[in-house]
Every structure is written in structure tokens, then in C-alpha cells.
Amino acid sequence: MYPTLTLSISDELAVVHRFVDAEACFLLDGAHVVPRDRSRDFPIQAEVVSFSGDFISTSTRAAGIIDAFARGAHAGDLGSWSRL
């Protein structure tokens, strides 16, 4: 079950979540598409959560990360991650 990556999408933007176990969640550091001091809302299950530009990527970049991980790439090799 772990590690796993999940994806939250809003329009053409995305946030990638990395779970290494049930207790530890990391977010992929963003690609500077939204300024650090700005935030955007993303759906997560039945809630809407705000994320700062620090963690927002394009949905194209995020999809590439998810695809590479699904093909066997180590998540640590796919970008820089920040622990929540």
C-alpha cells in the first residue's frame, strides 16, 4: 500500500501528495507557476483545501511524476518533497 502518490487537480494546476506510510505525508515542491505568497484551492475527497504556490505544479508536470512513479521510478528521484 505504501509508498503511494496521490494527485489533487484544479483547472490546469495540481498538487502531488506522497505518502510513505499512514503517518507521513510529503508534498512535491512546486514549479513556480503560482507565486509563493499566493494560494489556490484543491479538492481532496469531500473537502476543499488551500495550498500555497510552494506546492503547486502544472497538471502536465504532475501527471508526468505520477506516470514515472507508476512505471517504477523512486519518488525521491522525481523532485524535491516537503514533509507536512
Side-chain angles (χ1 to χ4, degrees), residues 36-58:
R36 296 180 69 167
D37 62 341
R38 295 258 172 133
S39 64
R40 296 282 177 97
D41 293 336
F42 290 83
I44 298 180
Q45 296 180 356
E47 297 182 33
V48 175
V49 178
S50 289
F51 290 95
S52 75
D54 289 333
F55 305 111
I56 299 173
S57 299
T58 64

Side-chain angles (χ1 to χ4, degrees), residues 58-79:
T58 64
S59 57
T60 301
R61 176 182 182 231
I65 298 284
I66 297 288
D67 183 61
F69 181 76
R71 294 176 185 272
H74 185 273
D77 296 335
L78 299 175

Side-chain angles (χ1 to χ4, degrees), residues 5 16-18 26-29 65 75-76 79-83:
L5 300 184
V16 181
H17 314 258
R18 174 182 167 202
F26 295 77
L27 296 178
L28 179 68
D29 292 335
I65 298 284
S80 176
W81 302 84
S82 295
R83 186 172 182 153

Side-chain angles (χ1 to χ4, degrees), residues 8-43:
S8 298
I9 298 174
S10 178
D11 298 321
E12 296 297 318
L13 301 174
V15 175
V16 181
H17 314 258
R18 174 182 167 202
F19 295 91
V20 296
D21 58 38
E23 303 297 321
C25 180
F26 295 77
L27 296 178
L28 179 68
D29 292 335
H32 309 290
V33 294
V34 173
R36 296 180 69 167
D37 62 341
R38 295 258 172 133
S39 64
R40 296 282 177 97
D41 293 336
F42 290 83

